[in-house]
Amino acid sequence: MSKKGFLLVLMQPPPAFEEEFNAWYDTEHVPDRLAVEGFESGRRYVCLDGHPKYLAMYDMENEAVLETEAYRRVSGERASPWTKRVTGRVSVYRSIGEQIYPGGELTRPTPRSVLLRFSGTPSGLADAVVAGARATFEGRVNTLQLRVFAYHRDGAVDFLVLAGLKVPEEIALDMGAFGEAAGHLDMVNSYALY
């Protein structure tokens, strides 16, 4: 089975702009993305502990979907005026890549989610990130889903661990389980479905 592509976006709108931001996301942005062939799911989350406040997670057949004409029609210079207005006023972290573990799952609508980000990590540490994620989340009665993603940029990788949970809980991270990758952990956020 080929590995799924992903598009994960973290956004922080200014407080006075939040109502318009959410209206845009719900009525234009998510529907536009899900109408593009190759986008398989799209979910929004609000941060309960951490920063930025909003997370959007899109699953794609593969990351090449973002190179298609269908996607280009709704992005970049061809984006709508509303999209340009909103994205020009919002702080954005955008990551694109492939799901490296388990490889082919789609985002489930879990009540709570935890996002770990390991930034600027050498690509050779992928196995350490996956092993640490599995040791932390797999086999727990509260874990509904676990996936690990790789976003290659500037000669290094941002590894993203997304764990779906049944109920909120404090996660005790054993940093030793992540080996050399542990020093690259720069985000531990918890989310609820928006």
Side-chain angles (χ1 to χ4, degrees):
M1 173 187 299
S2 65
K3 294 179 179 176
K4 296 285 183 194
F6 79 95
L7 168 60
L8 183 145
V9 184
L10 300 170
M11 300 181 106
Q12 182 66 48
F17 193 63
E18 203 161 350
E19 187 175 337
E20 181 177 344
F21 168 81
N22 285 315
W24 163 78
Y25 232 116
D26 292 339
T27 62
E28 180 178 291
H29 197 65
V30 170
D32 279 356
R33 296 306 175 266
L34 293 179
V36 172
E37 186 176 345
F39 272 77
E40 298 179 325
S41 73
R43 301 214 186 279
R44 291 190 63 208
Y45 301 85
V46 62
C47 193
L48 301 173
D49 183 24
H51 183 83
K53 186 169 182 179
Y54 294 98
L55 161 68
M57 179 64 184
Y58 300 95
D59 297 302
M60 302 178 295
E61 288 175 2
N62 54 57
E63 62 184 298
V65 169
L66 300 180
E67 302 301 322
T68 65
E69 180 57 28
Y71 181 72
R72 287 189 189 116
R73 279 195 296 271
V74 296
S75 65
E77 292 302 314
R78 293 157 84 185
S80 75
W82 198 12
T83 293
K84 290 177 183 176
R85 172 182 158 73
V86 170
T87 57
R89 298 186 65 190
V90 174
S91 175
V92 177
Y93 165 85
R94 187 173 188 258
S95 56
I96 302 157
E98 68 179 12
Q99 183 182 156
I100 62 171
Y101 179 82
E105 288 191 15
L106 299 179
T107 305
R108 294 185 204 159
T110 58
R112 293 291 186 265
S113 294
V114 173
L115 175 67
L116 309 179
R117 182 177 68 188
F118 297 81
S119 290
T121 312
S123 60
L125 296 180
D127 289 343
V129 173
V130 171
R134 293 184 72 186
T136 302
F137 295 103
E138 280 188 347
R140 298 170 55 90
V141 70
N142 197 28
T143 301
L144 294 172
Q145 183 175 39
L146 174 63
R147 294 179 304 151
V148 181
F149 306 92
Y151 166 45
H152 295 268
R153 62 178 182 85
D154 304 326
V157 182
D158 284 0
F159 290 107
L160 304 156
V161 174
L162 189 61
L165 308 176
K166 291 180 189 175
V167 296
E169 81 171 289
E170 289 272 333
I171 301 296
L173 292 178
D174 173 7
M175 296 312 294
F178 292 95
E180 291 179 47
H184 296 273
L185 180 67
D186 71 343
M187 180 181 289
V188 179
N189 286 358
S190 61
Y191 293 90
L193 282 172
Y194 175 80

